[in-house]
Amino acid sequence: MNLQWRDCQEWRDAGFPLSTTSNEAAKLYDAALTQYVGWYDDDNSGGIESTLDKLLQADPDFVMAHVINNGLQMIGTGKNPKHDTEFRASLDTCYKIASDDKRGISDWEKLHVKGLHYLADGYWNEACLTWERILVDYPTDMLSLKFAHDCYFYLGRKTEIRDSIARVLPVWSLKQPLYGYLMGMYSFGLCETSRFEQAEQYARKGLELNRRDSWSTHSLAHVFEMQGRIDEGLKFLESTVADWEPSNMLSCHLFWHKSLYYIEKSDHEAALSIYDKRIGQVANKTGAMLDVIDACSLLYRLSMEGINVGNRWEELCRTCLPHKDDHILVFNDVHFLMAYLGAGQKQTVNELLDSIREFLKTGQGSNHQITKEVGLAVCEALVDYNNGDYSAAVEKIWPLRCHIVNIGGSDAQRDLFAQFLIHAALKSSRQEHQILAKRLLFERKALKENSPLTDRLLQKALSM
């Protein structure tokens, strides 16, 4: 076991009362946490999955081992405990350990179990509130910070992505483990709330502390995207690829960002090349949700640009198919739908829509509410567009355009839906929709002056 990881005494000295007496378990917990925050697999630990397996073996009754293991399954959004019996059993084991007073579970650990319970039951806002309660007394608890950071992202709560870090950052110091990763996390929140100059400063500070900090790299890529600094973004990602590509949990997503720059420049061939070499293969092999969503998003953007993506949808559709009834995030459901539509799987499209409607009758929690308010209508608009009923697509998604933030993701990811509305309005037979497209493009140009993609669409709109 790597000597850099903290043992039981070091965790106690840092103010965290781990209930385990196993130094090996304490170190493995640290190793798993560090890999999660850093978006990479540590070779010396065998990678994060192997680390988690060894952690559970080192002390099967260590409740935080079960919290981080099950929490990461939920954060990955690829498994629903209501449908996965093995996952459900793993959660029940965690709850059983936490309820045994003889095990000496600390109040801090019990709160983590409570947060996990909310998360697994679908009440993501309540889970975030639980982690925030932990952070009042334990402001340097990176697991609470990172769980909250990720869930705020999934909920579209942009200010909380930023402010959850701002509330505790002054308490941290450079000497504390994982401090540097806060720079990228705070930078991302600043970027999502349009504080681009500050976001760039913190991202660059994070990279000064650790040039392999892929989340700081990611945040800086967002800054370049949102400010229309396309050539600068390409140069940055290309010149630092040796630093961020080893972060295998995020590298596919960073290649996705690179492909967005190429789409802006109308270099669709380069974007497709990235898809074939760095995104599609990875998504279909790993099935990791972030990779799969990136693949769906990229192909759909290219399709809206009028690019024939060939048979790429078919394999991606097969990757998405097992998740048709998950309904963990409607953000995921919408992207699965893109794959089903792209592959021409009408029956699967109808089955997904029926499954969503059934979920609205019987489900619960945060995603249930978001699906009811926004998600189903977005899905129906995509189907209308695919069927050539562009006017219906506009009428469904236009009233929701300011609420789509609630389905989660980043501004860059949700920009797909802004583009979708513009494309639908341009293709609509109704004159008021075509005028709407012009107005939306004027708005888009005002917010991001340097956007070749916007210029192309605006030129088309003005010629109508």
Side-chain angles (χ1 to χ4, degrees), residues 165-200:
I165 307 298
R167 284 191 286 270
V168 300
L169 189 55
V171 182
W172 284 69
S173 67
L174 185 60
K175 66 180 181 180
Q176 289 171 297
L178 309 179
Y179 167 81
Y181 290 116
L182 294 177
M183 302 300 103
M185 294 167 71
Y186 189 41
S187 170
F188 183 65
L190 289 165
C191 183
E192 288 299 291
T193 50
S194 302
R195 299 192 177 194
F196 301 123
E197 184 176 343
Q198 282 182 283
E200 182 169 351

Side-chain angles (χ1 to χ4, degrees), residues 70 81 84-94:
N70 289 298
D84 190 312
T85 55
E86 184 178 346
F87 188 14
R88 182 76 253 171
S90 181
L91 286 163
D92 288 341
T93 297
C94 179

Side-chain angles (χ1 to χ4, degrees), residues 272-287:
L272 270 177
S273 178
I274 291 175
Y275 178 89
D276 290 335
K277 296 176 182 177
R278 301 294 190 178
I279 298 176
Q281 287 185 9
V282 174
N284 291 316
K285 179 181 179 181
T286 68

